[in-house]
Amino acid sequence: RRRACAPVPTTTPCFAPARPLATTSARFLACGREHFGAVLDAIRAARKQILIADWRMNPAVLLRRWPFDDDDEPSSSANTNVSLLDALHAAIQERGVRVHVLLYREVHEKLQTKHKSAAVAKRLEAIGAKVVRHPDHLVAGQVYWSHHEKLVVVDQAVAFVGGMDLVEGRFDDADHRLRDDGVFVTMGDARTSSPCEVWPGVEYYQPNYPRAASSTTGTTGAAPDTTATTPSSSTTSAKPPAHAMIDRGRTPRMPWHDVPVRL
């Protein structure tokens, strides 16, 4: 018979008890909220080198979302989101960290419209990162092969593996909300009149939304522009892609569940 186990505190509900960190160097990160937060902490602690490999990347993806990820008392100075680009830019400029990125190079931009690896590479190179797009499918004769690794390695000491791209749509938690009702914030005696969105712009991800039905009525607004050369994550595009123009009142977001590992 299966022996009954006493409940063990975990960050998310799980049938298996958490192993003490003293006995293992691995930590499972349930969903994007845990993964993105841990990656941000590692990038901020980096001193020498950051290596990233992604099948698809959006530099504007938010690793920290205020106030959803803010454990401190909300204040006017705390009202900041932290994007991947912001974090890498700070590591390069403030601590001289070397950042190297390997991106999957799509077969053709018109066939794989979401990747935009050339624009992503341009934006990363603008802050001082070294980027390799690979492969050149026609030259290499590898049309049906791609880099599908999702890795973040910091200072050759901490690694994140297991298959979650640093891109829109991956941020989620154990609740797997189908809609974004936002988070109201109280500052002193004042309360925000409208909730702060957890999934702004293209982060409200629903790839099955019909492009033909896209309109500007009741939508999320402009999407982060992956072609911009400035490090700001607030840059917007005049013509957001169809999957950014979703009526949140009628169309649910697609939840995303993954369990990356930190080693």
Side-chain angles (χ1 to χ4, degrees):
R1 296 179 60 185
R2 180 179 298 175
R3 184 180 301 174
C5 297
V8 177
T10 57
T11 53
T12 55
C14 181
F15 72 90
R19 293 175 174 81
L21 293 178
T23 62
T24 177
S25 61
R27 177 189 170 192
F28 293 99
L29 304 168
C31 301
R33 183 180 182 184
E34 285 192 12
H35 176 61
F36 284 7
V39 168
L40 176 59
D41 290 341
I43 291 175
R44 285 175 165 173
R47 290 298 176 264
K48 295 181 179 179
Q49 182 188 70
I50 298 172
L51 308 175
I52 301 176
D54 258 353
W55 181 70
R56 188 162 75 87
M57 178 188 289
N58 184 345
V61 69
L62 299 179
L63 301 181
R64 177 183 182 275
R65 294 149 197 259
W66 182 91
F68 190 68
D69 278 336
D70 199 342
D71 296 328
D72 302 325
E73 185 69 21
S75 65
S76 58
S77 61
N79 190 359
T80 54
N81 294 322
V82 180
S83 71
L84 173 62
L85 193 70
D86 293 332
L88 294 177
H89 187 244
I92 294 171
Q93 296 297 320
E94 297 173 8
R95 302 187 301 279
V97 177
R98 300 187 304 276
V99 176
H100 301 266
V101 179
L102 172 64
L103 290 176
Y104 164 61
R105 180 173 178 171
E106 62 272 41
V107 177
H108 196 283
E109 290 186 356
K110 292 185 178 181
L111 296 177
Q112 295 166 290
T113 57
K114 292 183 180 180
H115 285 266
K116 298 182 174 62
S117 65
V120 172
K122 181 179 179 180
R123 193 167 187 186
L124 292 171
E125 289 168 346
I127 64 169
K130 305 296 183 183
V131 183
V132 173
R133 298 166 58 224
H134 187 269
D136 187 329
H137 296 274
L138 298 180
V139 173
Q142 297 173 329
V143 177
Y144 298 107
W145 180 89
S146 73
H147 287 287
H148 213 261
E149 303 90 348
K150 291 92 172 179
L151 305 171
V152 179
V153 182
V154 177
D155 289 340
Q156 298 290 327
V158 179
F160 297 87
V161 299
M164 183 175 286
D165 288 304
L166 299 173
V167 74
E168 72 274 1
R170 278 31 172 198
F171 183 92
D172 213 331
D173 60 13
D175 292 334
H176 295 305
R177 300 169 181 81
L178 296 180
R179 52 186 292 161
D180 187 4
D181 294 322
V183 178
F184 282 95
V185 181
T186 301
M187 297 180 186
D189 297 330
R191 178 183 171 93
T192 55
S193 58
S194 59
C196 303
E197 293 177 343
V198 177
W199 291 277
V202 293
E203 295 268 11
Y204 193 88
Y205 189 67
Q206 179 48 268
N208 299 310
Y209 187 73
R211 289 178 176 271
S214 299
S215 68
T216 57
T217 303
T219 63
T220 64
D225 182 8
T226 57
T227 63
T229 56
T230 58
S232 172
S233 60
S234 62
T235 305
T236 57
S237 172
K239 294 183 179 180
H243 63 270
M245 307 303 291
I246 297 175
D247 186 344
R248 292 174 178 239
R250 301 181 60 184
T251 304
R253 61 176 290 270
M254 185 178 81
W256 194 282
H257 188 82
D258 249 321
V259 186
V261 179
R262 185 185 69 186
L263 301 172

